[in-house]
Amino acid sequence: MKTTKISFFILSLMLLLVSGLSGWVGNAAAASDSGKTYIIGTDITFAPFEYQDENGDYVGIDMDLLDAIAKDQNFKYQIKALGFNAAVQALEANQVDGVIAGMSITDERKAKFDFSEPYYDSGVVMGISANNDTIKSYEDLRGKKVAVKTGTEGYSFAESIASKYGFTIVPFDDSSQMYDDVKTGNSAACFEDEPVLKFGVKQNNGLKVVTDKEDGASYGFAVSKDKNQELLEMFNAGLVNIKANGEYERIIAEYVGENAQVANQGRWELIQKSLPALFKGLGNTLIYTIVSLFFAFIIGLIFGFMKVGQNKFLRGVATVFVDIFRGIPLIVLAFFIYFGIPQAMGFTMPLFLAAILTLSLNAGAYVTEIIRGGIQSIDRGQMEAARSLGLPYRKAMIKIVIPQAVRVMIPSFINQMVITLKDTSILSVIGLVELTQSGKIVIARTFSSFDIWLTVAVMYLIVIITLTKVADYLEVKVRRG
């Protein structure tokens, strides 16, 4: 009965939290409408259209165009940095008001979204390793693998000619990963939007362009079907104005013109300038780990005691909880919580809430099993001996069984802490800017995968080893105590 009351209390608190956040979100949305502030989703790993500079500012053709149009039309906006696929899903789920991310205007997308007038005419080119002299045309791709970025014009073009030229498509979520696959020789070539690939070549990404531009769809600013029409009208009006006053041409020339800036940084200078962004991402990783583990521990206590309790119904509920949240892959759970639930229920969920819920529920299922296993590892004879001496079940559990079980559980708790810390990297798929996502953002600008991933790996290693040593010390203290 006590466990049931505690469970009901915690459930009530969670419902109040979600209710309060929903109300806060609703108030924020109302304030946004009155103050003309819009949430705009984008992909900040798509240079030169959107990326993050050394100062952490969002820059690029799309970002500068949006800023110029917002000033011309006198509206405010807030950028929500997501991957391209996540940004499109966020727009479908009404998590953002619009998307500007080098998004090609296609008939398929027109069925779901309303687009602005085209603001950039793109096209697809083929890139190969700068050291490759054997591939010069599509015919040379026969029997080979070709890297493409999902959801892009390059992907669609590759699909349209794959059977004709006999190559296999290898999909990636980021342009930098696609380029690395070509540079390492795993894929023979890649298809990418012309301005994006040529910008990368200028920044020494290790590739070269070997084909002429294929005709492709134009880029447009997107909103959900029949929603935020005033934002769409302002974008179109502002686009006309900045083209008329020359601002549009200035922005385009800054990034893809003949005098576009080229990065020339040494290895150590690059790492040094990247450290502030990486440390900020590391801070977010630690915060999300600590907060989610706090809630996971509470969830684990509740369901763990339910699993070892005498009530069959509560044991069944706890078993179902564990089976569900251990059985669903973390990435699927993240998508379901952040995109699926808001779309089905018609509200906007803050990213931090979605991230904490995802990590807490996943880790909570494992903590439940740690607590169950720890308690059941204690010899039943000790409980029987305590009961024979007249101790009630609850007091015998608290005084006799649990203190011994805690010593057994500590190594598993340490292991779960490390796992949860590393699991935060998976949530980069919904736009959480933790350490791994910070590394992706830096690589999108610098194309220095080896240096940045090595730095990120060392940072993870230092933190995890430090936390493990501290936990080991506390374990020794507890065992001796």
Side-chain angles (χ1 to χ4, degrees), residues 403-447:
Q404 297 179 74
V406 167
R407 292 183 174 91
V408 176
M409 294 181 221
I410 286 176
S412 297
F413 281 137
I414 296 170
N415 188 51
Q416 186 57 47
M417 175 187 68
V418 172
I419 290 172
T420 301
L421 188 146
K422 291 190 289 187
D423 279 349
T424 57
S425 63
I426 297 176
L427 299 188
S428 63
V429 297
I430 61 172
L432 181 65
V433 184
E434 38 62 68
L435 180 54
T436 299
Q437 180 73 339
S438 298
K440 289 182 182 179
I441 292 170
V442 173
I443 291 169
R445 179 183 75 247
T446 62
F447 302 100

Side-chain angles (χ1 to χ4, degrees), residues 347-403:
F347 71 95
T348 301
M349 180 177 290
L351 176 60
F352 79 90
L353 177 60
I356 293 300
L357 279 175
T358 301
L359 291 170
S360 297
L361 291 171
N362 177 264
Y366 287 96
V367 172
T368 297
E369 285 300 287
I370 291 171
I371 291 174
R372 178 202 59 77
I375 291 174
Q376 292 183 343
S377 69
I378 305 304
D379 194 294
R380 287 188 177 185
Q382 300 204 32
M383 172 62 79
E384 293 171 359
R387 296 300 301 277
S388 68
L389 293 173
L391 283 176
Y393 176 85
R394 187 178 302 148
K395 183 168 287 188
M397 183 68 75
I398 295 173
K399 296 288 187 180
I400 306 294
V401 176
I402 292 179

